[in-house]
């Protein structure tokens, strides 16, 4: 029996997605610390930041969905290219990430603003606990590809991140990627 889908080696994308979503700088320019730098990138060539390929069975209890994310390397000012980040609509839903190639970090945060940074080098398996919002940064020079597996009933709540932000974000430093406070964070 053939596998349901394959991660192709060149770019790590699933071979048979139900849904493909591409996010460019213009989809989230105002989410970066340096909005002017993001707008300049948008005006230049509006680069693709990441692509998501999802296999989504019906949203019924017990079912699992999975998704590969391919994040391109890049910076907006000193901040690494990042995903939008989300809470699951059903806060009881956890998630597992597997880092297939490249080097990322995962920023996870609770509703009360407790914040954790998890290293995601190639081969890492990361458990996103129920109730934690999560966002990924590509902190390497190559594309970052990771697989996410989550209950198909989880749902994705981007609105709360758009309105409140994360309390911290991840920027380049001489010591490597570090957390810095988000001055626009609005506690929930
Ligand atoms: C889904 C999982 C990932 C993200 C993807 C893009 O629960 O966390 O597949 O969807 O990495 O991030 P975002 O925040 O734009 O959905
Ligand atoms: Zn998720």
């Amino acid at each position: 029996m053939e596998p349901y889908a394959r991660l192709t080696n060149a770019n790590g994308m699933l071979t048979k997605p139900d849904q493909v979503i591409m996010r460019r700088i213009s989809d989230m320019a105002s989410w970066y610390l340096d909005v002017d730098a993001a707008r300049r990138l948008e005006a230049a060539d509006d680069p693709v930041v990441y692509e998501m390929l999802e296999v989504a069975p019906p949203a019924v209890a017990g079912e699992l969905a999975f998704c590969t994310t391919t994040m391109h390397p890049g910076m907006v000012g000193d901040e690494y290219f990042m995903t939008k980040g989300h809470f699951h609509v059903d806060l009881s839903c956890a998630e597992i990430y597997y880092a297939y190639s490249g080097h990322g970090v995962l920023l996870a945060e609770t509703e009360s603003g407790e914040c954790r940074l998890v290293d995601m080098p190639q081969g890492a398996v990361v458990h996103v606990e129920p109730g934690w919002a999560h966002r990924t940064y590509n902190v390497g020079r190559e594309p970052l590809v990771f697989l996410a597996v989550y209950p198909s009933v989880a749902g994705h709540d981007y609105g709360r991140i758009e309105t409140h932000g994360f309390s911290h974000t991840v920027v380049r430093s001489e010591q490597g990627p570090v957390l810095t406070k988000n001055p626009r964070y609005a506690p929930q």
Side-chain angles (χ1 to χ4, degrees), residues 38-92:
R39 295 284 180 217
R40 283 195 295 275
L41 276 178
E42 180 182 338
D45 61 350
D46 196 12
V48 174
V49 177
Y50 60 102
E51 291 146 272
M52 303 149 63
L53 282 73
E54 186 187 43
V55 176
V60 296
E63 260 298 7
L64 294 173
F66 56 100
C67 176
T68 52
T69 305
T70 299
M71 298 192 70
H72 300 280
M75 309 289 302
V76 178
D78 286 329
E79 197 173 17
Y80 297 95
F81 272 11
M82 63 186 186
T83 60
K84 283 190 166 185
H86 56 265
F87 283 96
H88 290 153
V89 175
D90 181 341
L91 290 172
S92 72

Side-chain angles (χ1 to χ4, degrees), residues 23 50 52 67 69 83-86 88 95 97 134 136 146 148 150 156 158:
R23 295 214 211 277
Y50 60 102
M52 303 149 63
C67 176
T69 305
T83 60
K84 283 190 166 185
H86 56 265
H88 290 153
E95 179 158 13
Y97 278 16
H134 40 288
T136 313
F146 59 95
Y150 45 97
H156 298 93
Y158 299 103

Side-chain angles (χ1 to χ4, degrees), residues 102-148:
H103 190 179
V105 295
L106 179 94
L107 177 65
E109 183 164 316
T110 63
E111 292 169 287
S112 59
E114 186 188 346
C115 178
R116 286 184 197 156
L117 189 63
V118 183
D119 195 21
M120 229 168 69
Q122 181 175 23
V125 177
V126 177
H127 177 216
V128 180
E129 294 175 48
W132 288 69
H134 40 288
R135 165 185 283 169
T136 313
Y137 296 78
N138 183 351
V139 299
R141 293 187 179 158
E142 306 298 327
L144 166 68
V145 181
F146 59 95
L147 174 73

